[in-house]
Amino acid sequence: MTDEPVPVAAGRRVPLNNPANMLTAVRIVLVPVFVVFTAISETAGSTGWRIAACLTFCVASATDFADGWIARRYELVTSFGKVADPIADKALTGSALVLLSAYDRLSWWVTGLILLREWGVTALRFWVIRYGIIPASRGGKLKTALQILAIAWLLWPVPAPFDVVGTWLMVAALLITMITGADYVLQALRIRRRAVPRS
């Protein structure tokens, strides 16, 4: 969801146990906590638990922005971070979307399209990782911000008529998600074409 970290200078050994990776690990741990809070809020019909679920999601999302910034700022890029960070992102966003659809707050086709795009882009990044990095674009950053805002709005017990804002935010997020997904496909193809010489 965030920018790709900059490459680390050759010869510099980055410890696995660093602040960026620790934040990524925190995000992974918060995913099941968020799922449990959301399930309890729906089962008990509790506004308090629904707020707790939303706050947990927001804190986890904040670690996504923080670990990327720390990794770039202090050159703390590791192989673990390169793999774990996108997996943690997709696990958090994916679980939130699935839960929203399961509890009839979001259409399943919207969740399906977004998840297809998110995991597809992750697969593309692994496909070209030997040849180059697909950096997060400005559109990708906007997509991430809109997705987080839309999900948080739908999770929070917003009273009518303001609850409809969450739907419109998700529509905007879906449009940007699909547009940037197509752009990432083109970037991946360009990287592969440059790396693999034609016979």
Short mmCIF file of all heavy atoms in Angstrom, two decimals, residues 128-135 186-196:
data_model
loop_
_atom_site.label_atom_id
_atom_site.label_comp_id
_atom_site.label_asym_id
_atom_site.label_seq_id
_atom_site.Cartn_x
_atom_site.Cartn_y
_atom_site.Cartn_z
N VAL A 128 8.42 -9.66 -11.20
CA VAL A 128 9.51 -8.85 -11.77
C VAL A 128 10.58 -8.51 -10.74
O VAL A 128 11.50 -7.74 -11.05
CB VAL A 128 8.97 -7.55 -12.40
CG1 VAL A 128 7.96 -7.86 -13.48
CG2 VAL A 128 8.37 -6.64 -11.34
N ILE A 129 10.51 -9.06 -9.52
CA ILE A 129 11.40 -8.63 -8.45
C ILE A 129 12.87 -8.89 -8.78
O ILE A 129 13.76 -8.18 -8.30
CB ILE A 129 11.01 -9.33 -7.12
CG1 ILE A 129 11.64 -8.59 -5.94
CG2 ILE A 129 11.41 -10.80 -7.14
CD1 ILE A 129 11.11 -9.05 -4.60
N ARG A 130 13.15 -9.89 -9.64
CA ARG A 130 14.54 -10.17 -10.03
C ARG A 130 15.07 -9.12 -10.98
O ARG A 130 16.27 -8.97 -11.14
CB ARG A 130 14.63 -11.55 -10.70
CG ARG A 130 14.41 -12.71 -9.75
CD ARG A 130 14.44 -14.02 -10.53
NE ARG A 130 15.67 -14.16 -11.32
CZ ARG A 130 15.84 -15.07 -12.26
NH1 ARG A 130 14.85 -15.90 -12.57
NH2 ARG A 130 16.98 -15.14 -12.93
N TYR A 131 14.18 -8.40 -11.64
CA TYR A 131 14.60 -7.47 -12.69
C TYR A 131 14.42 -5.99 -12.31
O TYR A 131 15.02 -5.12 -12.93
CB TYR A 131 13.80 -7.75 -13.97
CG TYR A 131 13.80 -9.21 -14.36
CD1 TYR A 131 12.67 -9.99 -14.15
CD2 TYR A 131 14.93 -9.81 -14.91
CE1 TYR A 131 12.66 -11.34 -14.49
CE2 TYR A 131 14.93 -11.16 -15.26
CZ TYR A 131 13.79 -11.92 -15.04
OH TYR A 131 13.79 -13.24 -15.37
N GLY A 132 13.61 -5.72 -11.33
CA GLY A 132 13.38 -4.33 -10.94
C GLY A 132 12.21 -4.21 -9.97
O GLY A 132 11.57 -5.21 -9.62
N ILE A 133 11.97 -3.00 -9.53
CA ILE A 133 10.91 -2.72 -8.56
C ILE A 133 9.84 -1.87 -9.21
O ILE A 133 10.14 -0.92 -9.94
CB ILE A 133 11.47 -1.99 -7.33
CG1 ILE A 133 12.38 -2.93 -6.52
CG2 ILE A 133 10.35 -1.46 -6.44
CD1 ILE A 133 13.07 -2.25 -5.36
N ILE A 134 8.59 -2.23 -8.98
CA ILE A 134 7.48 -1.40 -9.44
C ILE A 134 7.16 -0.42 -8.31
O ILE A 134 6.60 -0.81 -7.28
CB ILE A 134 6.23 -2.24 -9.75
CG1 ILE A 134 6.56 -3.31 -10.79
CG2 ILE A 134 5.11 -1.34 -10.25
CD1 ILE A 134 5.39 -4.24 -11.09
N PRO A 135 7.54 0.84 -8.46
CA PRO A 135 7.30 1.80 -7.37
C PRO A 135 5.83 2.18 -7.27
O PRO A 135 5.09 2.11 -8.25
CB PRO A 135 8.15 3.02 -7.78
CG PRO A 135 8.17 2.95 -9.28
CD PRO A 135 8.18 1.48 -9.63
N LEU A 186 1.12 -2.55 -16.95
CA LEU A 186 1.97 -2.00 -18.02
C LEU A 186 3.40 -1.83 -17.54
O LEU A 186 4.35 -2.11 -18.28
CB LEU A 186 1.39 -0.66 -18.49
CG LEU A 186 0.03 -0.72 -19.19
CD1 LEU A 186 -0.47 0.68 -19.52
CD2 LEU A 186 0.11 -1.57 -20.45
N GLN A 187 3.58 -1.36 -16.30
CA GLN A 187 4.93 -1.20 -15.75
C GLN A 187 5.64 -2.54 -15.66
O GLN A 187 6.83 -2.65 -16.01
CB GLN A 187 4.87 -0.56 -14.36
CG GLN A 187 4.49 0.91 -14.35
CD GLN A 187 4.68 1.51 -12.96
OE1 GLN A 187 5.78 1.49 -12.41
NE2 GLN A 187 3.61 2.04 -12.40
N ALA A 188 4.95 -3.57 -15.19
CA ALA A 188 5.55 -4.89 -15.07
C ALA A 188 5.98 -5.43 -16.43
O ALA A 188 7.07 -6.01 -16.56
CB ALA A 188 4.57 -5.85 -14.40
N LEU A 189 5.14 -5.25 -17.43
CA LEU A 189 5.48 -5.72 -18.77
C LEU A 189 6.69 -4.99 -19.32
O LEU A 189 7.55 -5.60 -19.97
CB LEU A 189 4.27 -5.54 -19.70
CG LEU A 189 3.06 -6.43 -19.41
CD1 LEU A 189 1.89 -6.07 -20.32
CD2 LEU A 189 3.43 -7.91 -19.58
N ARG A 190 6.79 -3.68 -19.05
CA ARG A 190 7.95 -2.91 -19.52
C ARG A 190 9.23 -3.40 -18.84
O ARG A 190 10.29 -3.52 -19.49
CB ARG A 190 7.73 -1.42 -19.26
CG ARG A 190 6.79 -0.75 -20.24
CD ARG A 190 6.92 0.77 -20.18
NE ARG A 190 6.46 1.29 -18.90
CZ ARG A 190 5.22 1.71 -18.68
NH1 ARG A 190 4.31 1.64 -19.64
NH2 ARG A 190 4.87 2.19 -17.50
N ILE A 191 9.16 -3.66 -17.56
CA ILE A 191 10.34 -4.15 -16.82
C ILE A 191 10.80 -5.49 -17.37
O ILE A 191 11.99 -5.73 -17.58
CB ILE A 191 10.03 -4.25 -15.31
CG1 ILE A 191 9.87 -2.86 -14.71
CG2 ILE A 191 11.14 -5.02 -14.58
CD1 ILE A 191 9.40 -2.86 -13.27
N ARG A 192 9.86 -6.38 -17.62
CA ARG A 192 10.22 -7.70 -18.15
C ARG A 192 10.80 -7.60 -19.56
O ARG A 192 11.75 -8.30 -19.90
CB ARG A 192 8.97 -8.59 -18.17
CG ARG A 192 8.50 -9.03 -16.80
CD ARG A 192 9.35 -10.12 -16.21
NE ARG A 192 9.29 -11.34 -16.98
CZ ARG A 192 9.74 -12.54 -16.54
NH1 ARG A 192 10.25 -12.62 -15.33
NH2 ARG A 192 9.68 -13.59 -17.29
N ARG A 193 10.22 -6.72 -20.36
CA ARG A 193 10.74 -6.57 -21.74
C ARG A 193 12.18 -6.04 -21.73
O ARG A 193 12.99 -6.46 -22.54
CB ARG A 193 9.84 -5.63 -22.54
CG ARG A 193 8.60 -6.32 -23.11
CD ARG A 193 8.02 -5.51 -24.27
NE ARG A 193 7.58 -4.20 -23.82
CZ ARG A 193 6.35 -3.90 -23.44
NH1 ARG A 193 5.42 -4.84 -23.45
NH2 ARG A 193 6.02 -2.68 -23.04
N ARG A 194 12.46 -5.11 -20.83
CA ARG A 194 13.82 -4.57 -20.75
C ARG A 194 14.81 -5.61 -20.23
O ARG A 194 15.98 -5.61 -20.62
CB ARG A 194 13.85 -3.34 -19.83
CG ARG A 194 13.22 -2.11 -20.43
CD ARG A 194 13.66 -0.86 -19.68
NE ARG A 194 13.28 -0.92 -18.29
CZ ARG A 194 12.15 -0.39 -17.78
NH1 ARG A 194 11.32 0.23 -18.61
NH2 ARG A 194 11.86 -0.48 -16.52
N ALA A 195 14.35 -6.48 -19.33
CA ALA A 195 15.25 -7.44 -18.68
C ALA A 195 15.51 -8.67 -19.52
O ALA A 195 16.59 -9.24 -19.47
CB ALA A 195 14.66 -7.86 -17.33
N VAL A 196 14.52 -9.10 -20.30
CA VAL A 196 14.66 -10.31 -21.08
C VAL A 196 14.94 -9.95 -22.54
O VAL A 196 14.07 -9.39 -23.22
CB VAL A 196 13.37 -11.17 -21.01
CG1 VAL A 196 13.54 -12.44 -21.84
CG2 VAL A 196 13.03 -11.49 -19.57
#
